[in-house]
Amino acid sequence: MDVRLVHDDKVEERSVDELPALLDGEDGLVWVDMPVCDQDAVRVLSEVFGFHAMAVKECVERNRVPKVHAYLDHVFVVLHSPERGAAGHVHYIELDQFVGRNYLVTVHGPVNPAVAPGVPLRETGAVLARLQAGRVHPATPMELSYAIVSALIRFQEAYVEEVTVDVWQLEQRVTGQRVGDPEEFLNELFRVRHGLLAVRTMAALGEAIYGRMSNLTRISPEGQRLVVDITDQFDRMRSLADGEREYLQGVIEFYQTTLTIKAALVGQAQNAEVKLLTEASYTQNEEIKKISAWAAIFFAPTLVGTVYGMNFAHMPELHLVFGYPLALVTMVLASAVLYLVFKRRGWL
């Protein structure tokens, strides 16, 4: 952990053993930055500062949502900033703060191993660089906390800016009809939407926390002014995320409308093809009816001719004088009757 004494526009690095004396002194403010809450950090938080066991436990464990706890002589605050991960995942980078009378303790909560080592320290690192360059001059722990939280909000804004680039690219792909695989494109849309929703939630909860802190009477008037300003910053951050999310929702709705129209056109084309197939099938059935009808008409004479063409010695009517004309008449009548029947049924 890093122990620093901030006074007279200077930042002095001190040892952990000097902490009790520094806390009892009146010269400047003490800033203790803990990259991880290990056993040594727990011991310092519990024994040197005497923080509540529940607050120390929350520094060791991961907190899913921001929170604030007000104690008699200090305020405990948990905040998050976003970090982009693989496949649209958003890492919640936790920053815990103990804001006391003459000290500020910043504890970096547990993070996913996939997060780069320097990411959790970016807010405190940015403020430390400004302190060392003389660009910020905090006189109280609340002013130092204000600088760190403002840096956290700037990183939230940078995240929204980065996601906005993706939103514009997605919109150009939709309007330019360069979507590619629809399923993968929808996944990209909702991954970006998830990122905006995550940072929007962080900002909204941060606004709620600092809105509650603005009602704490133990914070000085100057500290109250800083708390109100941070509340406004979180509110602005939430509005930015909401605006981009609504813009992206318009892109999603436009794409969904495009898919609906394409599906309707495909359905119409399929209906037209089905209609053509139905008409072709109907025409084919009509032709089959005609063929079947004529086959039946010609079958009757063929049947008579086939029967009387058999060469059996003992067949009736073979020796009739009028046998041949009678056979012809029978053939013609049978064919005529079948023709009339099929004609009436509409087969011919």
Side-chain angles (χ1 to χ4, degrees), residues 37-39 41-47 49-61 63 71 76 96 98 107:
C37 195
D38 52 17
Q39 292 299 322
V42 170
R43 181 185 61 81
V44 171
L45 294 175
S46 302
E47 298 177 6
F49 287 96
F51 294 141
H52 195 282
M54 184 62 69
V56 175
K57 180 181 178 183
E58 290 178 341
C59 291
V60 175
E61 299 176 352
N63 293 280
Y71 297 94
F76 175 62
D96 306 330
F98 294 90
V107 184

PDB file of all heavy atoms in Angstrom, residues 37-39 41-47 49-61 63 71 76 96 98 107:
ATOM      1  N   CYS A  37      -6.840  -5.431  -1.236  1.00  0.00           N
ATOM      2  CA  CYS A  37      -7.173  -5.503   0.188  1.00  0.00           C
ATOM      3  C   CYS A  37      -6.732  -6.873   0.716  1.00  0.00           C
ATOM      4  O   CYS A  37      -7.544  -7.771   0.936  1.00  0.00           O
ATOM      5  CB  CYS A  37      -8.674  -5.289   0.394  1.00  0.00           C
ATOM      6  SG  CYS A  37      -9.116  -4.945   2.114  1.00  0.00           S
ATOM      7  N   ASP A  38      -5.407  -7.004   0.941  1.00  0.00           N
ATOM      8  CA  ASP A  38      -4.860  -8.253   1.459  1.00  0.00           C
ATOM      9  C   ASP A  38      -4.864  -8.228   2.989  1.00  0.00           C
ATOM     10  O   ASP A  38      -5.470  -7.340   3.613  1.00  0.00           O
ATOM     11  CB  ASP A  38      -3.458  -8.477   0.906  1.00  0.00           C
ATOM     12  CG  ASP A  38      -2.548  -7.272   1.124  1.00  0.00           C
ATOM     13  OD1 ASP A  38      -2.897  -6.413   1.966  1.00  0.00           O
ATOM     14  OD2 ASP A  38      -1.494  -7.189   0.455  1.00  0.00           O
ATOM     15  N   GLN A  39      -4.172  -9.174   3.584  1.00  0.00           N
ATOM     16  CA  GLN A  39      -4.166  -9.270   5.038  1.00  0.00           C
ATOM     17  C   GLN A  39      -3.544  -8.034   5.686  1.00  0.00           C
ATOM     18  O   GLN A  39      -4.017  -7.554   6.722  1.00  0.00           O
ATOM     19  CB  GLN A  39      -3.405 -10.534   5.466  1.00  0.00           C
ATOM     20  CG  GLN A  39      -4.113 -11.828   5.096  1.00  0.00           C
ATOM     21  CD  GLN A  39      -5.478 -11.934   5.771  1.00  0.00           C
ATOM     22  OE1 GLN A  39      -5.647 -11.539   6.934  1.00  0.00           O
ATOM     23  NE2 GLN A  39      -6.458 -12.460   5.050  1.00  0.00           N
ATOM     24  N   ALA A  41      -3.540  -5.030   4.466  1.00  0.00           N
ATOM     25  CA  ALA A  41      -4.500  -3.940   4.328  1.00  0.00           C
ATOM     26  C   ALA A  41      -5.625  -4.076   5.340  1.00  0.00           C
ATOM     27  O   ALA A  41      -6.058  -3.090   5.955  1.00  0.00           O
ATOM     28  CB  ALA A  41      -5.062  -3.925   2.908  1.00  0.00           C
ATOM     29  N   VAL A  42      -6.105  -5.308   5.538  1.00  0.00           N
ATOM     30  CA  VAL A  42      -7.169  -5.528   6.524  1.00  0.00           C
ATOM     31  C   VAL A  42      -6.691  -5.133   7.918  1.00  0.00           C
ATOM     32  O   VAL A  42      -7.442  -4.531   8.705  1.00  0.00           O
ATOM     33  CB  VAL A  42      -7.622  -7.008   6.482  1.00  0.00           C
ATOM     34  CG1 VAL A  42      -8.541  -7.315   7.655  1.00  0.00           C
ATOM     35  CG2 VAL A  42      -8.317  -7.312   5.161  1.00  0.00           C
ATOM     36  N   ARG A  43      -5.466  -5.472   8.228  1.00  0.00           N
ATOM     37  CA  ARG A  43      -4.930  -5.123   9.548  1.00  0.00           C
ATOM     38  C   ARG A  43      -4.873  -3.609   9.735  1.00  0.00           C
ATOM     39  O   ARG A  43      -5.263  -3.082  10.793  1.00  0.00           O
ATOM     40  CB  ARG A  43      -3.532  -5.711   9.706  1.00  0.00           C
ATOM     41  CG  ARG A  43      -2.881  -5.423  11.069  1.00  0.00           C
ATOM     42  CD  ARG A  43      -1.462  -5.927  11.126  1.00  0.00           C
ATOM     43  NE  ARG A  43      -0.633  -5.276  10.112  1.00  0.00           N
ATOM     44  CZ  ARG A  43      -0.103  -4.048  10.273  1.00  0.00           C
ATOM     45  NH1 ARG A  43      -0.340  -3.356  11.371  1.00  0.00           N
ATOM     46  NH2 ARG A  43       0.654  -3.546   9.312  1.00  0.00           N
ATOM     47  N   VAL A  44      -4.420  -2.893   8.716  1.00  0.00           N
ATOM     48  CA  VAL A  44      -4.338  -1.434   8.814  1.00  0.00           C
ATOM     49  C   VAL A  44      -5.733  -0.833   8.939  1.00  0.00           C
ATOM     50  O   VAL A  44      -5.968   0.069   9.769  1.00  0.00           O
ATOM     51  CB  VAL A  44      -3.592  -0.859   7.601  1.00  0.00           C
ATOM     52  CG1 VAL A  44      -3.693   0.664   7.579  1.00  0.00           C
ATOM     53  CG2 VAL A  44      -2.127  -1.290   7.620  1.00  0.00           C
ATOM     54  N   LEU A  45      -6.662  -1.314   8.129  1.00  0.00           N
ATOM     55  CA  LEU A  45      -8.022  -0.779   8.175  1.00  0.00           C
ATOM     56  C   LEU A  45      -8.682  -1.033   9.528  1.00  0.00           C
ATOM     57  O   LEU A  45      -9.402  -0.163  10.059  1.00  0.00           O
ATOM     58  CB  LEU A  45      -8.876  -1.402   7.062  1.00  0.00           C
ATOM     59  CG  LEU A  45      -8.485  -1.064   5.616  1.00  0.00           C
ATOM     60  CD1 LEU A  45      -9.357  -1.850   4.641  1.00  0.00           C
ATOM     61  CD2 LEU A  45      -8.601   0.425   5.345  1.00  0.00           C
ATOM     62  N   SER A  46      -8.435  -2.198  10.085  1.00  0.00           N
ATOM     63  CA  SER A  46      -9.091  -2.567  11.335  1.00  0.00           C
ATOM     64  C   SER A  46      -8.393  -1.996  12.560  1.00  0.00           C
ATOM     65  O   SER A  46      -9.045  -1.449  13.461  1.00  0.00           O
ATOM     66  CB  SER A  46      -9.163  -4.097  11.448  1.00  0.00           C
ATOM     67  OG  SER A  46      -9.852  -4.652  10.357  1.00  0.00           O
ATOM     68  N   GLU A  47      -7.060  -2.117  12.616  1.00  0.00           N
ATOM     69  CA  GLU A  47      -6.325  -1.751  13.826  1.00  0.00           C
ATOM     70  C   GLU A  47      -5.877  -0.290  13.833  1.00  0.00           C
ATOM     71  O   GLU A  47      -5.981   0.370  14.874  1.00  0.00           O
ATOM     72  CB  GLU A  47      -5.120  -2.678  13.971  1.00  0.00           C
ATOM     73  CG  GLU A  47      -5.496  -4.152  14.123  1.00  0.00           C
ATOM     74  CD  GLU A  47      -4.282  -5.058  14.198  1.00  0.00           C
ATOM     75  OE1 GLU A  47      -3.153  -4.520  14.254  1.00  0.00           O
ATOM     76  OE2 GLU A  47      -4.455  -6.295  14.185  1.00  0.00           O
ATOM     77  N   PHE A  49      -6.919   2.329  11.651  1.00  0.00           N
ATOM     78  CA  PHE A  49      -8.030   3.265  11.447  1.00  0.00           C
ATOM     79  C   PHE A  49      -9.242   2.902  12.303  1.00  0.00           C
ATOM     80  O   PHE A  49     -10.062   3.783  12.610  1.00  0.00           O
ATOM     81  CB  PHE A  49      -8.434   3.283   9.969  1.00  0.00           C
ATOM     82  CG  PHE A  49      -7.455   3.984   9.080  1.00  0.00           C
ATOM     83  CD1 PHE A  49      -6.489   3.268   8.389  1.00  0.00           C
ATOM     84  CD2 PHE A  49      -7.489   5.356   8.931  1.00  0.00           C
ATOM     85  CE1 PHE A  49      -5.586   3.906   7.558  1.00  0.00           C
ATOM     86  CE2 PHE A  49      -6.588   6.006   8.102  1.00  0.00           C
ATOM     87  CZ  PHE A  49      -5.621   5.278   7.419  1.00  0.00           C
ATOM     88  N   GLY A  50      -9.389   1.652  12.672  1.00  0.00           N
ATOM     89  CA  GLY A  50     -10.526   1.244  13.496  1.00  0.00           C
ATOM     90  C   GLY A  50     -11.848   1.269  12.761  1.00  0.00           C
ATOM     91  O   GLY A  50     -12.896   1.550  13.370  1.00  0.00           O
ATOM     92  N   PHE A  51     -11.840   0.956  11.482  1.00  0.00           N
ATOM     93  CA  PHE A  51     -13.075   0.960  10.713  1.00  0.00           C
ATOM     94  C   PHE A  51     -13.973  -0.203  11.113  1.00  0.00           C
ATOM     95  O   PHE A  51     -13.505  -1.225  11.623  1.00  0.00           O
ATOM     96  CB  PHE A  51     -12.773   0.880   9.213  1.00  0.00           C
ATOM     97  CG  PHE A  51     -12.068   2.098   8.668  1.00  0.00           C
ATOM     98  CD1 PHE A  51     -11.067   1.976   7.713  1.00  0.00           C
ATOM     99  CD2 PHE A  51     -12.405   3.373   9.108  1.00  0.00           C
ATOM    100  CE1 PHE A  51     -10.430   3.090   7.209  1.00  0.00           C
ATOM    101  CE2 PHE A  51     -11.771   4.500   8.618  1.00  0.00           C
ATOM    102  CZ  PHE A  51     -10.774   4.349   7.668  1.00  0.00           C
ATOM    103  N   HIS A  52     -15.251  -0.049  10.835  1.00  0.00           N
ATOM    104  CA  HIS A  52     -16.237  -1.072  11.156  1.00  0.00           C
ATOM    105  C   HIS A  52     -15.925  -2.365  10.394  1.00  0.00           C
ATOM    106  O   HIS A  52     -15.491  -2.341   9.240  1.00  0.00           O
ATOM    107  CB  HIS A  52     -17.639  -0.571  10.800  1.00  0.00           C
ATOM    108  CG  HIS A  52     -18.741  -1.379  11.408  1.00  0.00           C
ATOM    109  ND1 HIS A  52     -19.144  -2.603  10.897  1.00  0.00           N
ATOM    110  CD2 HIS A  52     -19.531  -1.141  12.500  1.00  0.00           C
ATOM    111  CE1 HIS A  52     -20.127  -3.077  11.632  1.00  0.00           C
ATOM    112  NE2 HIS A  52     -20.386  -2.214  12.605  1.00  0.00           N
ATOM    113  N   ALA A  53     -16.140  -3.496  11.079  1.00  0.00           N
ATOM    114  CA  ALA A  53     -15.815  -4.790  10.479  1.00  0.00           C
ATOM    115  C   ALA A  53     -16.594  -5.030   9.192  1.00  0.00           C
ATOM    116  O   ALA A  53     -16.070  -5.637   8.239  1.00  0.00           O
ATOM    117  CB  ALA A  53     -16.102  -5.914  11.482  1.00  0.00           C
ATOM    118  N   MET A  54     -17.847  -4.558   9.121  1.00  0.00           N
ATOM    119  CA  MET A  54     -18.636  -4.742   7.915  1.00  0.00           C
ATOM    120  C   MET A  54     -18.046  -3.966   6.744  1.00  0.00           C
ATOM    121  O   MET A  54     -17.986  -4.459   5.610  1.00  0.00           O
ATOM    122  CB  MET A  54     -20.087  -4.298   8.161  1.00  0.00           C
ATOM    123  CG  MET A  54     -21.015  -4.552   6.975  1.00  0.00           C
ATOM    124  SD  MET A  54     -21.148  -6.314   6.555  1.00  0.00           S
ATOM    125  CE  MET A  54     -22.039  -6.902   7.999  1.00  0.00           C
ATOM    126  N   ALA A  55     -17.567  -2.742   7.025  1.00  0.00           N
ATOM    127  CA  ALA A  55     -16.962  -1.947   5.963  1.00  0.00           C
ATOM    128  C   ALA A  55     -15.666  -2.595   5.470  1.00  0.00           C
ATOM    129  O   ALA A  55     -15.380  -2.618   4.266  1.00  0.00           O
ATOM    130  CB  ALA A  55     -16.695  -0.529   6.464  1.00  0.00           C
ATOM    131  N   VAL A  56     -14.882  -3.127   6.405  1.00  0.00           N
ATOM    132  CA  VAL A  56     -13.644  -3.807   6.016  1.00  0.00           C
ATOM    133  C   VAL A  56     -13.962  -5.040   5.178  1.00  0.00           C
ATOM    134  O   VAL A  56     -13.288  -5.321   4.170  1.00  0.00           O
ATOM    135  CB  VAL A  56     -12.833  -4.189   7.268  1.00  0.00           C
ATOM    136  CG1 VAL A  56     -11.603  -5.003   6.867  1.00  0.00           C
ATOM    137  CG2 VAL A  56     -12.424  -2.947   8.052  1.00  0.00           C
ATOM    138  N   LYS A  57     -15.000  -5.768   5.548  1.00  0.00           N
ATOM    139  CA  LYS A  57     -15.402  -6.946   4.791  1.00  0.00           C
ATOM    140  C   LYS A  57     -15.810  -6.576   3.376  1.00  0.00           C
ATOM    141  O   LYS A  57     -15.503  -7.294   2.413  1.00  0.00           O
ATOM    142  CB  LYS A  57     -16.558  -7.647   5.514  1.00  0.00           C
ATOM    143  CG  LYS A  57     -17.042  -8.901   4.791  1.00  0.00           C
ATOM    144  CD  LYS A  57     -18.209  -9.535   5.537  1.00  0.00           C
ATOM    145  CE  LYS A  57     -18.722 -10.771   4.796  1.00  0.00           C
ATOM    146  NZ  LYS A  57     -19.898 -11.358   5.473  1.00  0.00           N
ATOM    147  N   GLU A  58     -16.492  -5.450   3.231  1.00  0.00           N
ATOM    148  CA  GLU A  58     -16.919  -5.020   1.902  1.00  0.00           C
ATOM    149  C   GLU A  58     -15.736  -4.588   1.041  1.00  0.00           C
ATOM    150  O   GLU A  58     -15.834  -4.584  -0.184  1.00  0.00           O
ATOM    151  CB  GLU A  58     -17.939  -3.894   2.023  1.00  0.00           C
ATOM    152  CG  GLU A  58     -19.279  -4.385   2.571  1.00  0.00           C
ATOM    153  CD  GLU A  58     -20.291  -3.275   2.741  1.00  0.00           C
ATOM    154  OE1 GLU A  58     -19.861  -2.094   2.781  1.00  0.00           O
ATOM    155  OE2 GLU A  58     -21.490  -3.574   2.841  1.00  0.00           O
ATOM    156  N   CYS A  59     -14.623  -4.214   1.667  1.00  0.00           N
ATOM    157  CA  CYS A  59     -13.413  -3.915   0.903  1.00  0.00           C
ATOM    158  C   CYS A  59     -12.752  -5.201   0.403  1.00  0.00           C
ATOM    159  O   CYS A  59     -12.148  -5.216  -0.671  1.00  0.00           O
ATOM    160  CB  CYS A  59     -12.414  -3.129   1.761  1.00  0.00           C
ATOM    161  SG  CYS A  59     -12.930  -1.445   2.141  1.00  0.00           S
ATOM    162  N   VAL A  60     -12.878  -6.254   1.165  1.00  0.00           N
ATOM    163  CA  VAL A  60     -12.270  -7.532   0.786  1.00  0.00           C
ATOM    164  C   VAL A  60     -13.085  -8.211  -0.306  1.00  0.00           C
ATOM    165  O   VAL A  60     -12.530  -8.773  -1.260  1.00  0.00           O
ATOM    166  CB  VAL A  60     -12.149  -8.449   2.016  1.00  0.00           C
ATOM    167  CG1 VAL A  60     -11.628  -9.825   1.608  1.00  0.00           C
ATOM    168  CG2 VAL A  60     -11.251  -7.820   3.062  1.00  0.00           C
ATOM    169  N   GLU A  61     -14.402  -8.149  -0.197  1.00  0.00           N
ATOM    170  CA  GLU A  61     -15.277  -8.825  -1.145  1.00  0.00           C
ATOM    171  C   GLU A  61     -15.702  -7.877  -2.261  1.00  0.00           C
ATOM    172  O   GLU A  61     -15.592  -6.662  -2.144  1.00  0.00           O
ATOM    173  CB  GLU A  61     -16.519  -9.359  -0.415  1.00  0.00           C
ATOM    174  CG  GLU A  61     -16.199 -10.378   0.680  1.00  0.00           C
ATOM    175  CD  GLU A  61     -17.435 -10.799   1.440  1.00  0.00           C
ATOM    176  OE1 GLU A  61     -18.506 -10.180   1.223  1.00  0.00           O
ATOM    177  OE2 GLU A  61     -17.338 -11.736   2.247  1.00  0.00           O
ATOM    178  N   ASN A  63     -18.304  -5.899  -4.423  1.00  0.00           N
ATOM    179  CA  ASN A  63     -19.627  -5.294  -4.262  1.00  0.00           C
ATOM    180  C   ASN A  63     -20.259  -5.128  -5.640  1.00  0.00           C
ATOM    181  O   ASN A  63     -19.658  -4.522  -6.540  1.00  0.00           O
ATOM    182  CB  ASN A  63     -19.519  -3.938  -3.570  1.00  0.00           C
ATOM    183  CG  ASN A  63     -19.052  -4.069  -2.125  1.00  0.00           C
ATOM    184  OD1 ASN A  63     -19.824  -4.377  -1.238  1.00  0.00           O
ATOM    185  ND2 ASN A  63     -17.762  -3.844  -1.896  1.00  0.00           N
ATOM    186  N   TYR A  71     -20.606   7.000   9.018  1.00  0.00           N
ATOM    187  CA  TYR A  71     -20.235   6.716  10.402  1.00  0.00           C
ATOM    188  C   TYR A  71     -20.005   8.046  11.122  1.00  0.00           C
ATOM    189  O   TYR A  71     -20.109   9.132  10.528  1.00  0.00           O
ATOM    190  CB  TYR A  71     -18.986   5.836  10.443  1.00  0.00           C
ATOM    191  CG  TYR A  71     -19.202   4.469   9.807  1.00  0.00           C
ATOM    192  CD1 TYR A  71     -18.885   4.246   8.465  1.00  0.00           C
ATOM    193  CD2 TYR A  71     -19.731   3.422  10.549  1.00  0.00           C
ATOM    194  CE1 TYR A  71     -19.090   2.992   7.878  1.00  0.00           C
ATOM    195  CE2 TYR A  71     -19.933   2.168   9.969  1.00  0.00           C
ATOM    196  CZ  TYR A  71     -19.612   1.970   8.639  1.00  0.00           C
ATOM    197  OH  TYR A  71     -19.820   0.737   8.067  1.00  0.00           O
ATOM    198  N   PHE A  76     -18.049   5.991   4.256  1.00  0.00           N
ATOM    199  CA  PHE A  76     -17.544   4.899   3.424  1.00  0.00           C
ATOM    200  C   PHE A  76     -18.353   4.860   2.131  1.00  0.00           C
ATOM    201  O   PHE A  76     -19.585   4.800   2.147  1.00  0.00           O
ATOM    202  CB  PHE A  76     -17.669   3.568   4.157  1.00  0.00           C
ATOM    203  CG  PHE A  76     -17.279   2.371   3.334  1.00  0.00           C
ATOM    204  CD1 PHE A  76     -15.988   2.226   2.851  1.00  0.00           C
ATOM    205  CD2 PHE A  76     -18.213   1.380   3.037  1.00  0.00           C
ATOM    206  CE1 PHE A  76     -15.631   1.128   2.098  1.00  0.00           C
ATOM    207  CE2 PHE A  76     -17.859   0.269   2.282  1.00  0.00           C
ATOM    208  CZ  PHE A  76     -16.561   0.143   1.815  1.00  0.00           C
ATOM    209  N   ASP A  96     -13.253   1.725  -3.488  1.00  0.00           N
ATOM    210  CA  ASP A  96     -13.821   1.998  -2.164  1.00  0.00           C
ATOM    211  C   ASP A  96     -13.073   3.174  -1.540  1.00  0.00           C
ATOM    212  O   ASP A  96     -11.853   3.289  -1.681  1.00  0.00           O
ATOM    213  CB  ASP A  96     -13.701   0.772  -1.260  1.00  0.00           C
ATOM    214  CG  ASP A  96     -14.316  -0.466  -1.902  1.00  0.00           C
ATOM    215  OD1 ASP A  96     -15.275  -0.312  -2.680  1.00  0.00           O
ATOM    216  OD2 ASP A  96     -13.820  -1.576  -1.630  1.00  0.00           O
ATOM    217  N   PHE A  98     -12.735   5.669   2.147  1.00  0.00           N
ATOM    218  CA  PHE A  98     -13.043   6.102   3.509  1.00  0.00           C
ATOM    219  C   PHE A  98     -12.634   7.566   3.600  1.00  0.00           C
ATOM    220  O   PHE A  98     -11.442   7.897   3.544  1.00  0.00           O
ATOM    221  CB  PHE A  98     -12.265   5.278   4.534  1.00  0.00           C
ATOM    222  CG  PHE A  98     -12.650   3.826   4.591  1.00  0.00           C
ATOM    223  CD1 PHE A  98     -12.013   2.886   3.785  1.00  0.00           C
ATOM    224  CD2 PHE A  98     -13.649   3.389   5.460  1.00  0.00           C
ATOM    225  CE1 PHE A  98     -12.352   1.553   3.846  1.00  0.00           C
ATOM    226  CE2 PHE A  98     -14.000   2.048   5.516  1.00  0.00           C
ATOM    227  CZ  PHE A  98     -13.355   1.120   4.709  1.00  0.00           C
ATOM    228  N   VAL A 107      -9.365   2.086  -1.516  1.00  0.00           N
ATOM    229  CA  VAL A 107      -9.128   0.644  -1.613  1.00  0.00           C
ATOM    230  C   VAL A 107      -9.680   0.162  -2.939  1.00  0.00           C
ATOM    231  O   VAL A 107     -10.843   0.416  -3.261  1.00  0.00           O
ATOM    232  CB  VAL A 107      -9.804  -0.120  -0.453  1.00  0.00           C
ATOM    233  CG1 VAL A 107      -9.461  -1.599  -0.533  1.00  0.00           C
ATOM    234  CG2 VAL A 107      -9.397   0.463   0.885  1.00  0.00           C
TER     235      VAL A 107
END
